[in-house]
Amino acid sequence: MTQTASTLPSNSRAAIAEALNQSVAETAVATMLAQNFHWNVTGMAFGPLHDLFQKMYEDHFVAQDDLAERIKSLDAHAEGTLAGMLKRSKVKEHEGKATPEEMLTSLVTAQETLAATLADSGALAAEHGDTLTEDLCIERGQIHEKFAWMLRSHLR
Ligand SMILES: [Fe+2]
């Protein structure tokens, strides 16, 4: 049976919020990763990569807020510290310099990781009957898979 924020039992809300906090954390780390590369990319593809990385971090910045506010709609705590996000995120930061190819490879991995995390979060929400959270996760997962394709296409 489908549930909404007001009808979900508290254990379901807690489990879904935990999954969403994972998604927020990884989206936040991916935001910084894309912005890092937006600043530091060099080479003949500077223009298009600088622009693509900006498109990504702007998308991710809005998405962090949408995911975190879904947690609040479920009446749970949205983790809002960078330290906490870094700890739980499977998307990792990139230390130091990188070539454009290394940047693209790192971002493909980040996008694929995020797509998997969001697919898992959506499936968990569905198990609890929370179709509205499931919908948000599906939408976000699709966007990350689209970015993964765009990034990957530079490397072929
Ligand atoms: Fe900029």
Side-chain angles (χ1 to χ4, degrees):
M1 195 175 93
T2 56
Q3 304 283 346
T4 59
S6 60
T7 64
L8 276 166
S10 63
N11 65 321
S12 293
R13 280 188 279 114
I16 296 162
E18 182 64 18
L20 286 173
N21 270 313
Q22 179 76 26
S23 297
V24 173
E26 293 183 6
T27 305
V29 177
T31 304
M32 195 66 246
L33 189 66
Q35 194 162 33
N36 175 358
F37 294 157
H38 166 79
W39 291 331
N40 289 304
V41 67
T42 56
M44 290 302 290
F46 171 83
L49 291 182
H50 181 71
D51 289 351
L52 175 59
F53 298 163
Q54 177 168 348
K55 202 172 157 196
M56 291 172 65
Y57 76 70
E58 287 177 348
D59 164 84
H60 295 6
F61 187 75
V62 173
Q64 289 171 49
D65 199 46
D66 290 342
L67 291 162
E69 290 179 355
R70 181 64 195 164
I71 296 171
K72 297 315 299 177
S73 296
L74 295 167
D75 199 26
H77 180 71
E79 182 167 64
T81 69
L82 293 172
M85 290 175 183
L86 280 170
K87 208 178 205 177
R88 71 163 80 218
S89 176
K90 283 181 276 173
V91 175
K92 297 298 173 198
E93 295 193 294
H94 184 91
E95 301 278 349
K97 294 182 180 177
T99 65
E101 289 74 18
E102 287 166 343
M103 290 178 179
L104 288 161
T105 302
S106 169
L107 290 170
V108 167
T109 303
Q111 295 301 313
E112 288 174 346
T113 302
L114 260 166
T117 294
L118 281 151
D120 285 347
S121 298
L124 181 96
E127 274 171 36
H128 289 274
D130 182 358
T131 55
L132 302 181
T133 297
E134 181 191 12
D135 179 69
L136 175 62
C137 293
I138 289 171
E139 185 196 346
R140 287 306 313 164
Q142 289 171 350
I143 289 168
H144 291 299
E145 289 205 323
K146 188 169 176 176
F147 278 131
W149 155 65
M150 288 178 170
L151 294 159
R152 241 186 350 256
S153 297
H154 292 81
L155 296 167
R156 291 193 169 151

